[in-house]
Amino acid sequence: MSISSHLAQINQRIHAAAHQAGRDPATVRLVAVSKTRPSADIVEAYQAGQTVFGENYIQELVPKLAEVSEAVEWHVIGHLQSNKVKYIAGQVALIHSVDRISLASEINRQWGKLGKICNILVQVNISGETTKSGTTEAGAIQLVRACALLRNIRVRGLMTMPPFFDDPEAARPFFAGLRRLSEAVTAENIAGVDMAELSMGMSGDFEAAIEEGATLVRVGTAIFGNR
Ligand SMILES: *Cc1c(COP(=O)(O)O)cnc(C)c1O
């Protein structure tokens, strides 16, 4: 099956999950995760109507930024090293994976040089697995507060990656946990911070994530096939 028919299927499932949850489907955006995929696949997806693309690796994203001339909205979703931030400054719409103040400071510095503001999400390790990136649940509010003091970044929400389960229902409590944390951050009323976005849900579990409040679902293999 083609990328375009996969996309049509995924979008249909997003709509159905939103309706199921009593949500407006327009409040859920699909981030097509194009890591390891050639630029031609991104262009093909774009021509089928997909505009938002998520990449994990800066060394892979940089050549794609040059190769893809379409009006793509790029998101960074993977673990980001501070020394790589300079290569993408001003070129991505959202960084989902900010999990430490040193990284936030470097994003702030690089975007500041351009006189621009970078939208970011704080990545939370909601499951507490030691192998996962992300700030602890307890550390999240502190990190959001620290980020709020930086003039060239804007915190727009939270992101998480639950453990892998065969059964998507098993991931649901982690999605619900991120939503509750986002509500707790909102209740802190931190100046300049909003919790508009909840980035959660991948190919195997995006419907459960939408039912728990996801506004950004990050889907790779279900669109582009196995990596
Ligand atoms: C690879 C990746 C995804 C997409 O995973 P699929 O299972 O292929 O849909 C989503 N989020 C992050 C952070 C990833 O690294």
Side-chain angles (χ1 to χ4, degrees), residues 123-140 159-165 170-171 173-175 177-178 181:
Q123 182 174 356
V124 185
N125 182 0
I126 207 94
S127 65
E129 284 177 295
T130 51
T131 53
K132 287 266 157 68
S133 307
T135 179
T136 60
E137 203 170 336
M159 179 271 224
T160 200
M161 237 176 123
F164 177 80
F165 298 105
F174 299 101
F175 298 143
L178 193 72
L181 182 58

Side-chain angles (χ1 to χ4, degrees), residues 85-146:
V85 171
K86 56 180 177 286
Y87 302 119
I88 54 161
Q91 302 192 76
V92 301
L94 184 66
I95 300 176
H96 293 225
S97 44
V98 176
D99 60 357
R100 57 201 190 280
I101 189 61
S102 56
L103 174 60
S105 299
E106 178 59 9
I107 295 168
N108 183 63
R109 195 170 80 86
Q110 294 296 342
W111 260 256
K113 283 189 195 171
L114 304 171
K116 292 184 175 175
I117 290 173
C118 183
N119 289 311
I120 64 152
L121 306 180
V122 164
Q123 182 174 356
V124 185
N125 182 0
I126 207 94
S127 65
E129 284 177 295
T130 51
T131 53
K132 287 266 157 68
S133 307
T135 179
T136 60
E137 203 170 336
I141 290 179
Q142 216 182 339
L143 180 55
V144 171
R145 280 195 184 284

Side-chain angles (χ1 to χ4, degrees), residues 33 35 56 77 159 161 202-203 218-221 227:
V33 176
K35 64 177 172 222
N56 287 62
I77 62 168
M159 179 271 224
M161 237 176 123
M202 318 201 309
S203 290
R218 310 179 309 267
V219 177
T221 50
R227 287 183 291 272

